[in-house]
Amino acid sequence: MRVVNSMPILVWSAEPNGMVDFLSENWLAYTGMNAKAALGAGWIAVIHPDDIAPSLKRWKDLMSTGTAQSAEVEVRFRRSDGQYRWFLVRACALRDQSGAIRSWYGTNIDIHDRKLVEDEIRRSEASLGAAQRIGNVGSFSWSRQQEAFQCSEEFYRILDLELGTPVTLQRILDRVHPDGRFRVMSLRDKPITTTDEHENRLIMADGSEKVVLVKISRTDSADGTFEYHGAIADITARRRGEDALAQARADLAAVARAASMGEMAAAIAHEVSQPLLGIMANAELSIRKLSRKPTPISEATQAIGRIIRDANRASEIVRRLRDLYSDREPTHEAFDLNEALIEVLELSRFDLEQEGITVDRKLSSQMGQTAGDRVQIQQVVLNLLRNAIESIASNPGSRRSISIHTYKGEDRISLTLEDSGAGFQPEQSRKLFDSFFTTKPNGMGMGLSVSRSIIEAHQGILWARNNDRGGATFGFDLPAVARPKTSRPSS
Ligand code: ADP
């Protein structure tokens, strides 16, 4: 009995009918009950109210069936200070030779601390599971010594596998798109050294496709073996969004191209009309001269020379406009911003003349070069110039002038274009560069947004402000190329 009382577990025994007839001293010390009150069925008073019904049911089942040699149940017992602690209760039947139960013996082992740790693990697993569900990320680990992968619930969900079934390499391969199977196989055949990240496609049982991002890292053990730990993220929705965005961009580019085609046709019509008129006039003059007797050969030759000059000019205009509007690969080369600007002014000469707008240009003679896509920068200048012309045209009675300046700073060059148009509403200054922002009845609202992207892609800044004396100024700066080169001076 001394042994029983000094064991670090609580010991008890009961009659075949379940009435407790012995409780060890440490049982009584733990609960603070006296033996008289606890024996029989009095011990029920120290069981946690939530555990009474299930534990009594177990106890009764055990006695009525009497089949089990021993049984286990987890129950909370109240300590003398009022705190409930978890115990593992084991009961075992002592039988006589005929097999009839003579008495029950039981032990209660304190498992409270272990249980708390288990609960904590369960809770953190549950919150990890929730985080994985929310983030659409599953986790797994695998070593080559193991047949099956250790996988989180979310891993099963992403691969659409039945929860709890062993996840073998073959079952994973069955889900992976044939084009991506080698990536999975190579994990086994050619182990990664540290980490690996790749995208793969999965084919679900119903034929639908998923895109997943897989990240794996390798952990080596002292015994030379290693284990993979990985995460798999379902990025199907994100990828669909990106595809839709790419499609929208392509559509937008197509719209912009179609619009530029229209603009190009209009510009060609404008620009070549003058040389064509010249060609017509000189052709008629040549016919007149050639039909005269005696034929004034040198005058006829001069008129034909002018025809050739105008025809060349027309074809040059068409070539430049085609360059400006064509859907070409961006280039990167050093170029002179002044020269690029002068070409744009020449292309817009007809529009400027038609609107009666004079251009005042002050171009830095120390300009040097900038690097980038010359034609794209010309598109920006052309767009700023068109906007300035349209703003002046919509503002009758204004001075009808545009000033263009270029400057050379220490390592930047810049261009400003000041017009005498209507200016913009101060509250619109932030929106001007937004796609589709336009105040024009037939505007597209793409010019400034595309211009800003072009300038930013060249490490520059495009800005706008209203002038004190009316109209707006738009400007940009670009990095200067280190090697200076004297450019064409201002005219
Ligand atoms: P769009 O010319 O098709 O409207 P933009 O992106 O080139 O597209 O211009 C957007 C808007 O910015 C114009 O509709 C206009 O309201 C304003 N804007 C652009 N340039 C000027 C300017 N020089 N003066 C006043 N407002 C301007």
Side-chain angles (χ1 to χ4, degrees), residues 196 378 422 442 456:
D196 176 66
Q378 285 185 312
N442 298 318
E456 285 177 357

Side-chain angles (χ1 to χ4, degrees), residues 383 387-388 391 419 423-424 432 437-440 443-448 472 474:
N383 183 51
N387 279 343
S391 178
D419 66 58
F424 48 84
L432 297 181
F437 173 78
T438 181
T439 54
K440 300 171 193 168
M444 273 252 298
M446 288 305 296
L448 286 179
F474 283 76

Side-chain angles (χ1 to χ4, degrees), residues 263 383-392 417-419 421-425 428 431-451 464-466 471-474:
E263 274 185 45
N383 183 51
L384 298 184
L385 193 61
R386 290 249 166 90
N387 279 343
I389 295 172
E390 283 168 7
S391 178
I392 294 172
L417 195 149
E418 181 181 334
D419 66 58
F424 48 84
Q425 300 297 317
Q428 289 173 346
K431 293 195 194 142
L432 297 181
F433 300 97
D434 288 351
S435 303
F436 305 118
F437 173 78
T438 181
T439 54
K440 300 171 193 168
N442 298 318
M444 273 252 298
M446 288 305 296
L448 286 179
S449 99
V450 171
S451 298
R465 64 169 153 75
N466 274 323
T473 300
F474 283 76

Side-chain angles (χ1 to χ4, degrees), residues 179-330:
D179 294 350
R181 287 193 185 142
F182 75 99
R183 296 296 309 226
V184 184
M185 291 303 290
S186 63
L187 281 180
R188 190 194 58 187
D189 303 335
K190 243 196 300 142
I192 56 167
T193 48
T194 50
T195 55
D196 176 66
E197 180 176 332
H198 68 271
E199 274 187 32
N200 224 328
R201 278 187 295 160
L202 305 180
I203 311 275
M204 299 295 111
D206 64 2
S208 62
E209 265 196 33
K210 279 185 186 174
V211 185
V212 288
L213 178 67
V214 185
K215 286 191 180 189
I216 303 168
S217 69
R218 169 179 157 156
T219 319
D220 286 280
S221 314
D223 64 3
T225 61
F226 63 83
E227 206 173 331
Y228 289 134
H229 294 278
I232 178 166
D234 182 349
I235 56 167
T236 316
R238 194 174 87 192
R239 194 37 50 83
R240 276 199 200 116
E242 284 168 5
D243 288 352
L245 192 64
Q247 184 58 42
R249 281 213 188 98
D251 291 349
L252 191 62
V255 169
R257 250 198 318 278
S260 330
M261 290 293 284
E263 274 185 45
M264 179 167 89
I268 289 178
H270 269 154
E271 299 300 325
V272 299
S273 61
Q274 276 194 334
L276 282 180
L277 284 176
I279 290 170
M280 286 298 287
N282 282 304
E284 278 167 15
L285 186 66
S286 317
I287 289 171
R288 276 205 305 278
K289 301 267 178 207
L290 288 171
S291 53
R292 279 221 322 249
K293 294 279 179 297
T295 307
I297 296 291
S298 72
E299 287 175 31
T301 314
Q302 275 170 18
I304 291 169
R306 285 196 293 275
I307 291 176
I308 293 169
R309 184 201 63 196
D310 284 349
N312 279 338
R313 164 136 184 80
S315 82
E316 174 68 0
I317 288 171
V318 172
R319 187 188 61 75
R320 280 197 199 153
L321 284 169
R322 212 177 38 214
D323 270 2
L324 212 50
Y325 287 103
S326 65
D327 185 19
R328 38 182 278 291
E329 285 293 304

Side-chain angles (χ1 to χ4, degrees), residues 45-195:
V46 289
I47 293 192
H48 192 283
D50 294 347
D51 299 343
I52 293 176
S55 51
L56 285 185
K57 185 173 181 311
R58 271 309 286 288
W59 195 208
K60 276 192 191 130
D61 288 350
L62 192 61
M63 281 180 302
S64 63
T65 56
T67 46
Q69 280 301 310
S70 75
E72 280 184 4
V73 58
E74 290 179 1
V75 184
R76 275 165 290 181
F77 281 88
R78 193 177 62 218
R79 199 163 60 183
S80 55
D81 61 2
Q83 192 207 345
Y84 284 97
R85 291 179 68 81
W86 282 102
F87 281 83
L88 174 69
V89 179
R90 283 207 178 104
C92 134
L94 183 74
R95 294 163 192 272
D96 62 17
Q97 278 175 345
S98 68
I101 294 173
R102 281 187 47 204
S103 61
W104 291 95
Y105 289 95
T107 54
N108 301 359
I109 303 169
D110 187 332
I111 55 164
H112 193 74
D113 296 334
R114 194 190 78 196
K115 188 105 170 137
L116 290 190
V117 172
E118 279 173 8
D119 284 353
E120 188 49 44
I121 291 172
R122 244 193 310 279
R123 251 197 308 281
S124 68
E125 269 177 358
S127 77
L128 185 66
Q132 293 201 348
R133 252 188 325 279
I134 293 166
N136 272 343
V137 178
S139 54
F140 63 90
S141 59
W142 183 65
S143 71
R144 285 205 288 181
Q145 294 75 43
Q146 268 170 241
E147 170 76 8
F149 284 59
Q150 304 287 312
C151 305
S152 73
E153 267 185 42
E154 192 58 14
F155 183 96
Y156 277 91
R157 205 197 55 73
I158 292 174
L159 272 83
D160 197 11
L161 298 171
E162 200 185 322
L163 200 62
T165 53
V167 178
T168 56
L169 191 63
Q170 188 54 49
R171 296 200 67 192
I172 294 179
L173 284 173
D174 289 346
R175 278 284 181 265
V176 176
H177 190 282
D179 294 350
R181 287 193 185 142
F182 75 99
R183 296 296 309 226
V184 184
M185 291 303 290
S186 63
L187 281 180
R188 190 194 58 187
D189 303 335
K190 243 196 300 142
I192 56 167
T193 48
T194 50
T195 55

